[in-house]
Amino acid sequence: MILDAKIPAGPLAEKWSTHKFNLKLVNPANKRKYDIIVVGTGLAGGAAAASLAELGYNVKAYCFQDSPRRAHSIAAQGGINAAKNYRNDGDSVYRLFYDTIKGGDYRAREGNVYRLAEVSVNIIDQCVAQGVPFAREYGGLLDNRSFGGAQVSRTFYARGQTGQQLLLGAYSALNRQINAGKVKMYTRTEMLDVVIVDGKAQGIVTRNLETGKVETHTGHAVLLCTGGYGNVFYLSTNAMGCNVTAAWRAHKRGAFFGNPCYTQIHPTCIPVTGDHQSKLTLMSESLRNDGRVWAPKTVELAQKLRKGELKVTDLKEEDRDYFLERKYPSFGNLVPRDVASRNGKEMVDDGRGVGTTGVAVFLDFADAIKRLGEDAVRAKYGNLFDMYYQITNEDPYKQPMRIYPAVHYTMGGLWVDYNLMTNVEGLYALGEANFSDHGANRLGASALMQGLADGYFVIPYTVGDYLAKIGPKPVDANHPAFEQTKKDVEERIKKLLALKGNKTVDEYHRELGHIMWEYCGMARTEEGLKKAKGLIQSLRADFWKNAIVLGDNEELNQSLEKAGRVADFLELGELMVDDALMRNESCGGHFRVESQTPEGEALRDDDHFAFVAAWQYKGDNQPEELHKEELVFENVHLTQRSYK
Ligand SMILES: Cc1cc2nc3c(=O)[nH]c(=O)nc-3n(C[C@H](O)[C@H](O)[C@H](O)COP(=O)(O)OP(=O)(O)OC[C@H]3O[C@@H](n4cnc5c(N)ncnc54)[C@H](O)[C@@H]3O)c2cc1C
């Protein structure tokens, strides 16, 4: 099968304008004849639902939290990129495009990424108009800071709470439409399947999380804006509720899964301290603007620090190895996340890790405090420092933070074309749920940009083209596909509730997480991945025999919710391993130990792997089929990525 990404022809800078002109339009009076289902009301879904309703479509929106305001997007800390060039430091749409393609290790589509850079500037204007309180400079202009993988300052921010402020903006726009009757909002509602009628997505099946009621909903198009699946690793910086269920169920109904193994491991998280944890906390990348990453120069010094025989503040300057500054003088502490993470791991593997576990390096603000003063540092990063203090009981104004990489974001997701449509007609994926714009490594502050680009500026154009083609005839809610899909969902719920073994679902999740982290985490080998595949298969089989799921369907039942999500992770995990095994090259966050340069950097194999891997589900416990979308580079020259 040839996957058609539908990238418009013509010069890069004109593709999106030309495409928008060529897309069919739905006239204003006809828009109200169409129903659009938007699953997920984080930044991508909230923006999409509000914009589509504003255009005049009838929108039905869903989230599993009690309010759209609690979507995981609210956790985003550091900022959002845009090529505004307010700093006059050499930024441009082309530079943001180039940085993003290079940052993704040349595994993203040129056309998509250019469009992303192009609309980034509109996002800032839109959010300012909504009242999002971005940080401002003395003169009143919006302020910027730097993020990894860029040598310009293009990251707009609202202290360390950018996601929260952006989400409040999108949520206000959404609420306006709920109030106007154009969006019907279903909270505490989990989508458990997609209904496909004659090859087109025409509805979903949901479960009301408070009453257990299973229902069908119709729509002319279905948009999945359901976030990422980093929680397959159990421990991650993601919100506890993040899961893959919506995307995975869509995958099992025919939607291809793109690059599932591309996971982002963020270098600056508070390290794991033991088995009691169920979540990890991010220390924003923005901290690397002023914080310096280092490890002790020798194993002996690291040992003394670990044993408490030496205080970190007493370690002499010449005994500290600022390894990122040493190895990458051009980008220093602001190398992209994959590079910083691998280097942190290397220090720990060398025996130079710190903290009681020895699995951490330092992020130090002493120089910044000396240079700028404590008040200035507090004004920039105060809430992050407070968070660190509350969790570790160590004062980062007085001693360096301890940090270590943790799972943070998934670049993989449902395969979509340039219109954000999956290979299933009428089924779209937006935001972190799709695979589209970040290649093998997402640059910091680019997820918010992509989610909002998809929701505010891409889907409002592209969905209209599809709707105009299919026409406004109402969807037939009596089509047997609705009843059948609902029955399938109910049977699965019954099967989960019948599990009366002796092992909790959480235990399975933790075990899966260990396997994924050990063999499909920061470094992957053929041998390890093969082992992981077998381990996951056995764990999955054991789950369906020995797991215990408490309670009933007709009640608030978090044990049941979790069981459904973990069952999906147990299937997804195997696909991630298959994908990582197939991709016998290193690229971005996917580091195959067998494929590295003499300096230990990721070594791509462009001749064999310059493609998007799109996997097709072939039935339970069957190998999935791989389809390849070849990546065509007409504007950038593929080189070995260097940040030296
Ligand atoms: C701690 C942290 C800090 C971050 N900081 C930044 C940053 O500074 N800059 C940046 O660019 N990115 C950042 N990111 C990444 C960024 O926050 C996310 O990628 C982005 O917010 C995802 O938005 P989304 O709309 O795609 O999904 P989400 O915000 O995860 O929203 C998903 C929505 O889908 C709903 N949903 C999911 N499944 C179902 C289902 N089955 N049924 C019904 N509803 C469902 C949820 O209820 C929710 O409404 C950060 C991530 C983390 C973890």
Side-chain angles (χ1 to χ4, degrees):
M1 173 177 185
I2 297 183
L3 281 173
D4 183 4
K6 303 204 174 81
I7 313 233
L12 187 63
E14 288 166 29
K15 282 182 193 293
W16 180 228
S17 311
T18 317
H19 191 60
K20 279 193 288 187
F21 182 71
N22 290 332
L23 289 170
K24 281 189 187 309
L25 298 174
V26 178
N27 92 48
N30 278 345
K31 287 201 174 89
R32 57 178 168 266
K33 297 180 187 158
Y34 290 96
D35 296 332
I36 302 179
I37 287 176
V38 179
V39 187
T41 45
L43 281 176
S51 305
L52 294 170
E54 185 78 47
L55 280 171
Y57 296 109
N58 307 311
V59 175
K60 301 173 187 178
Y62 304 79
C63 72
F64 60 72
Q65 291 94 346
D66 60 346
S67 158
R69 282 184 54 187
R70 295 202 210 292
H72 157 71
S73 288
I74 208 155
Q77 300 173 347
I80 175 167
N81 288 331
K84 285 282 200 187
N85 193 30
Y86 283 170
R87 282 283 174 97
N88 205 19
D89 56 359
D91 202 8
S92 63
V93 166
Y94 194 86
R95 189 176 293 282
L96 175 52
F97 153 76
Y98 180 79
D99 287 348
T100 309
I101 284 275
K102 176 183 168 192
D105 220 353
Y106 307 96
R107 290 293 175 261
R109 292 181 191 139
E110 283 190 343
N112 280 58
V113 177
Y114 193 88
R115 174 178 67 189
L116 178 64
E118 200 178 335
V119 302
S120 69
V121 294
N122 305 114
I123 297 172
I124 301 304
D125 297 343
Q126 167 106 352
C127 296
V128 168
Q130 285 170 346
V132 171
F134 284 120
R136 287 178 186 267
E137 290 175 334
Y138 168 76
L141 290 177
L142 297 188
D143 195 13
N144 288 147
R145 55 189 175 199
S146 303
F147 259 56
Q151 288 177 311
V152 294
S153 269
R154 61 160 77 98
T155 304
F156 294 78
Y157 65 100
R159 267 192 132 190
Q161 308 164 346
T162 315
Q164 179 178 11
Q165 299 307 327
L166 291 173
L167 190 59
L168 288 173
Y171 172 70
S172 311
L174 177 65
N175 254 348
R176 184 173 128 82
Q177 296 304 323
I178 294 173
N179 192 42
K182 290 305 292 178
V183 174
K184 179 152 175 45
M185 185 71 224
Y186 298 81
T187 56
R188 304 293 291 135
T189 304
E190 182 167 29
M191 177 212 127
L192 293 177
D193 220 330
V194 192
V195 183
I196 314 276
V197 178
D198 302 329
K200 295 187 175 63
Q202 299 225 310
I204 58 171
V205 177
T206 60
R207 177 173 178 273
N208 180 312
L209 297 180
E210 280 161 8
T211 63
K213 190 165 180 206
V214 176
E215 284 180 302
T216 57
H217 306 256
T218 58
H220 291 88
V222 176
L223 278 48
L224 300 184
C225 316
T226 46
Y229 52 86
N231 279 350
V232 66
F233 288 83
Y234 187 70
L235 285 182
S236 86
T237 62
N238 289 7
M240 294 292 286
C242 291
N243 67 85
V244 77
T245 289
W248 191 251
R249 306 283 168 97
H251 175 56
K252 290 175 87 166
R253 293 281 173 197
F256 292 178
F257 214 104
N259 299 331
C261 82
Y262 287 171
T263 311
Q264 174 159 93
I265 316 248
H266 197 297
T268 55
C269 302
I270 301 183
V272 176
T273 51
D275 268 353
H276 57 283
Q277 283 166 296
S278 50
K279 156 131 194 54
L280 296 177
T281 306
L282 175 75
M283 287 289 104
S284 166
E285 181 160 307
S286 59
L287 294 171
R288 284 197 275 143
N289 270 272
D290 289 305
R292 300 179 70 192
V293 179
W294 64 273
K297 266 204 179 135
T298 65
V299 175
E300 293 69 39
L301 285 168
Q303 272 166 351
K304 279 193 181 166
L305 282 171
R306 290 202 289 269
K307 287 186 193 150
E309 293 167 10
L310 182 65
K311 265 175 53 188
V312 54
T313 40
D314 291 338
L315 203 72
K316 292 195 210 99
E317 194 56 29
E318 60 268 27
D319 289 333
R320 302 171 178 210
D321 177 12
Y322 295 93
F323 51 92
L324 294 179
E325 296 171 29
R326 169 173 59 80
K327 287 176 75 175
Y328 309 97
S330 302
F331 282 71
N333 293 295
L334 282 172
V335 288
R337 293 173 179 180
D338 55 331
V339 178
S341 292
R342 271 199 294 281
N343 278 278
K345 179 178 185 301
E346 212 175 284
M347 293 297 125
V348 168
D349 292 349
D350 277 0
R352 293 201 272 149
V354 297
T356 46
T357 59
V359 186
V361 294
F362 290 124
L363 178 63
D364 200 336
F365 293 87
D367 279 356
I369 291 172
K370 221 181 286 162
R371 194 177 67 248
L372 307 166
E374 191 171 313
D375 285 349
V377 170
R378 194 183 302 278
K380 272 185 173 171
Y381 311 115
N383 68 316
L384 300 169
F385 277 46
D386 290 349
M387 206 172 7
Y388 183 85
Y389 178 67
Q390 279 159 19
I391 293 172
T392 62
N393 202 28
E394 290 168 8
D395 182 353
Y397 293 101
K398 300 210 162 58
Q399 66 183 84
M401 290 180 177
R402 286 171 298 105
I403 48 144
Y404 197 64
V407 171
H408 179 62
Y409 180 90
T410 43
M411 281 77 71
L414 290 176
W415 182 90
V416 288
D417 64 16
Y418 190 71
N419 296 318
L420 305 182
M421 198 197 279
T422 68
N423 57 304
V424 175
E425 275 194 77
L427 180 67
Y428 293 79
L430 282 66
E432 195 173 338
N434 71 28
F435 88 102
S436 69
D437 294 358
H438 308 293
N441 172 60
R442 170 176 75 79
L443 290 185
S446 287
L448 301 182
M449 172 172 73
Q450 182 228 326
L452 290 179
D454 288 359
Y456 285 135
F457 295 108
V458 180
I459 200 71
Y461 293 91
T462 59
V463 79
D465 184 63
Y466 171 72
L467 296 175
K469 282 178 192 152
I470 62 166
K473 197 170 144 231
V475 173
D476 176 12
N478 295 319
H479 190 283
F482 281 91
E483 198 45 42
Q484 184 55 51
T485 315
K486 183 170 174 238
K487 226 167 107 197
D488 294 346
V489 166
E490 285 165 341
E491 263 159 31
R492 190 180 161 87
I493 291 172
K494 271 194 209 133
K495 202 171 148 197
L496 287 166
L497 284 168
L499 291 173
K500 293 293 172 234
N502 51 18
K503 210 164 140 181
T504 65
V505 168
D506 248 9
E507 286 174 86
Y508 285 100
H509 193 181
R510 193 183 286 125
E511 265 180 58
L512 174 67
H514 276 148
I515 299 170
M516 297 302 294
W517 180 248
E518 187 63 30
Y519 303 110
C520 198
M522 266 194 287
R524 302 152 178 199
T525 64
E526 182 181 347
E527 193 193 347
L529 289 164
K530 284 185 174 155
K531 182 168 175 197
K533 188 171 166 69
L535 290 171
I536 296 171
Q537 285 173 342
S538 327
L539 191 66
R540 192 167 62 232
D542 195 71
F543 172 92
W544 286 108
K545 257 198 244 143
N546 295 320
I548 177 160
V549 181
L550 303 169
D552 295 312
N553 179 49
E554 287 73 28
E555 60 181 353
L556 176 70
N557 186 342
Q558 292 191 326
S559 170
L560 175 64
E561 286 168 33
K562 174 107 213 216
R565 294 171 192 171
V566 170
D568 292 336
F569 279 145
L570 282 162
E571 295 179 4
L572 166 78
E574 187 177 348
L575 182 64
M576 290 172 72
V577 163
D578 282 340
D579 188 44
L581 195 54
M582 172 282 297
R583 193 166 280 279
N584 191 11
E585 66 159 351
S586 293
C587 55
H590 168 65
F591 189 72
R592 280 290 294 265
V593 174
E594 300 91 341
S595 180
Q596 51 181 305
T597 65
E599 296 89 41
E601 305 290 349
L603 181 63
R604 292 194 322 270
D605 175 356
D606 294 330
D607 290 341
H608 299 101
F609 292 99
F611 61 80
V612 174
W615 294 89
Q616 183 180 11
Y617 181 77
K618 295 299 241 182
D620 285 348
N621 298 313
Q622 299 300 313
E624 298 216 359
E625 186 179 340
L626 172 65
H627 302 272
K628 295 178 185 175
E629 179 205 326
E630 296 298 333
L631 290 166
V632 180
F633 294 94
E634 292 167 336
N635 298 276
V636 295
H637 176 59
L638 275 64
T639 54
Q640 169 68 33
R641 218 161 43 124
S642 168
Y643 292 95
K644 294 193 190 256

